[in-house]
Amino acid sequence: MDSVDLQVLKSARDWVESGRRVVMATVVRTWGSAPRPIGALTAIRDDGMVAGSVSGGCVEDDMILQVRSGELVKDKPATTQYGVSAEEAKRFGLPCGGTLELVLEPLTIDSGLDELLTRIERHELVMRKLDMKSGRVTIGPARSTDPLSFDGATLATVHGPRWRLLIIGAGQLSTFLAQMAQGLDYQVTICDPREEYADGWDIPGAALKRGMPDDVVSEMNLDGHSAVVTLTHDPKLDDMALLEALKSPAFYVGAIGSRKNNDARRQRLAEFDLSQDEIARLHGPVGLKLGAKTPPEIAIAILAEMTAIRNGVIVPEFGEPEKAIAAGCAI
């Protein structure tokens, strides 16, 4: 789930536990252009305090007024739509033709937010089901392929780390990449068997594994929601990880280094039991060619390319090969 929506759940849980009246809205359907995706959340406290967003516009303002007045759902969940007509879409700041359908849920101690957040913190993938008639909530395991579903009677939402990122190497660049990736809802794991690097790793929320890279890749049982980025500049470590990662279903496998170094790496990989199609999956030099020089810039370039691939966007090289080399020389 989106880290912004995770913060919504945390704020809503804290407000409910402090005795405040809280309404949570979930986007369940959109038509036309929509400012937030299906599953986006917002929570509104009885005094108008708001966390999250379902529109980025006046929809929240309208709901705040209704929550303050006590008009917006009291005992049982309900649905509402915004932007049904062009005039209403304009009034609520929605894109032209945009329409949102929301499930509005009055939250209580029995809404299961504390259990939900506890399981998310354990890195579990969780499905929360809301019965629209009774308001009863049940929480159970989910799969990474489970979508949000709403049939009018039950709202089923999926929460937790759908996406995983394995970073080989615990250096300075890994620090920025791990921190930024967590903001994009990746469950981050760092692998580095070198004591001089691993002993200094202290990024909260990012697990550290000291095993050999090929063993760690195998142990993680990578799936289509996984990414691997090798950052050590040491072929003995990076190549070990790549040999396993390129055979996995991981949606993204990248390696740091210049174009020349990555061409040499591909030649080395070809000497092992990898097919040309598997080797062709390697993103190296890693990241979009943004002219990145500093570690934070390179981390942004890597995550930008991962985001594009994750969203099914084809990323062409910039210009001629020589220009691409110049633009990407730092990574």
Side-chain angles (χ1 to χ4, degrees), residues 33-102:
S33 300
R36 291 297 315 278
I38 290 174
L41 300 172
T42 191
I44 303 174
R45 203 168 68 182
D46 48 21
D47 60 353
M49 182 71 72
V50 63
S53 173
V54 293
S55 76
C58 298
V59 168
E60 287 82 5
D61 292 342
D62 183 70
M63 290 193 295
I64 287 170
L65 291 175
Q66 294 189 59
V67 169
R68 279 176 170 168
S69 65
E71 298 174 1
L72 194 67
V73 295
K74 297 179 180 178
D75 301 319
K76 301 293 174 60
T79 60
T80 188
Q81 290 185 2
Y82 284 92
V84 176
S85 65
E87 292 77 12
E88 192 174 70
K90 182 177 180 180
R91 173 191 170 198
F92 291 115
L94 297 172
C96 181
T99 299
L100 300 175
E101 182 175 359
L102 308 175

Side-chain angles (χ1 to χ4, degrees), residues 198-269:
D199 287 349
W201 182 261
D202 62 351
I203 302 303
L208 174 66
K209 293 186 178 292
R210 295 172 177 261
M212 298 306 292
D214 53 341
D215 292 333
V216 172
V217 173
S218 298
E219 291 168 5
M220 288 186 63
N221 191 26
L222 303 176
D223 58 17
H225 287 73
S226 305
V228 178
V229 178
T230 64
L231 301 178
T232 71
H233 285 288
D234 183 344
K236 295 189 298 295
L237 297 177
D238 288 349
D239 289 5
M240 290 173 67
L242 295 174
L243 283 169
E244 296 300 323
L246 290 170
K247 292 185 288 187
S248 78
F251 79 92
Y252 184 90
V253 180
I256 200 167
S258 67
R259 184 178 296 276
K260 179 180 178 180
N261 287 342
N262 271 285
D263 286 343
R265 174 180 284 117
R266 291 182 175 90
Q267 292 177 13
R268 293 195 303 271
L269 294 174

Side-chain angles (χ1 to χ4, degrees), residues 279-314:
I279 295 173
R281 297 181 57 224
L282 177 63
H283 294 271
V286 69
L288 287 185
K289 307 305 181 286
L290 306 179
K293 303 292 183 183
T294 66
E297 289 178 345
I298 297 170
I300 290 172
I302 293 171
L303 289 171
E305 185 171 51
M306 285 172 54
T307 301
I309 301 301
R310 171 172 154 173
N311 293 334
V313 176
I314 298 175

Side-chain angles (χ1 to χ4, degrees), residues 70-264:
E71 298 174 1
L72 194 67
V73 295
K74 297 179 180 178
D75 301 319
K76 301 293 174 60
T79 60
T80 188
Q81 290 185 2
Y82 284 92
V84 176
S85 65
E87 292 77 12
E88 192 174 70
K90 182 177 180 180
R91 173 191 170 198
F92 291 115
L94 297 172
C96 181
T99 299
L100 300 175
E101 182 175 359
L102 308 175
V103 165
L104 305 174
E105 177 187 359
L107 298 176
T108 69
I109 293 295
D110 296 325
S111 296
L113 295 187
D114 192 54
E115 178 186 353
L116 179 63
L117 287 164
T118 297
R119 295 178 68 163
I120 291 173
E121 289 171 359
R122 293 201 299 256
H123 302 295
E124 295 181 28
L125 191 59
V126 185
M127 178 174 288
R128 179 178 185 267
K129 291 186 177 181
L130 171 67
D131 182 80
M132 295 295 291
K133 185 175 182 180
S134 65
R136 182 172 177 266
V137 169
T138 56
I139 296 175
R143 299 169 299 179
S144 60
T145 54
D146 289 334
L148 178 148
S149 64
F150 179 62
D151 61 5
T154 303
L155 169 63
T157 52
V158 178
H159 308 268
R162 289 173 177 262
W163 303 93
R164 294 185 292 165
L165 170 61
L166 172 61
I167 302 172
I168 308 300
Q172 185 184 38
L173 173 54
S174 301
T175 297
F176 289 100
L177 183 59
Q179 291 172 326
M180 294 180 186
Q182 289 184 88
L184 293 177
D185 193 36
Y186 284 94
Q187 179 183 339
V188 178
T189 300
I190 306 295
C191 169
D192 202 324
R194 303 169 299 178
E195 292 184 0
E196 61 271 27
Y197 287 92
D199 287 349
W201 182 261
D202 62 351
I203 302 303
L208 174 66
K209 293 186 178 292
R210 295 172 177 261
M212 298 306 292
D214 53 341
D215 292 333
V216 172
V217 173
S218 298
E219 291 168 5
M220 288 186 63
N221 191 26
L222 303 176
D223 58 17
H225 287 73
S226 305
V228 178
V229 178
T230 64
L231 301 178
T232 71
H233 285 288
D234 183 344
K236 295 189 298 295
L237 297 177
D238 288 349
D239 289 5
M240 290 173 67
L242 295 174
L243 283 169
E244 296 300 323
L246 290 170
K247 292 185 288 187
S248 78
F251 79 92
Y252 184 90
V253 180
I256 200 167
S258 67
R259 184 178 296 276
K260 179 180 178 180
N261 287 342
N262 271 285
D263 286 343

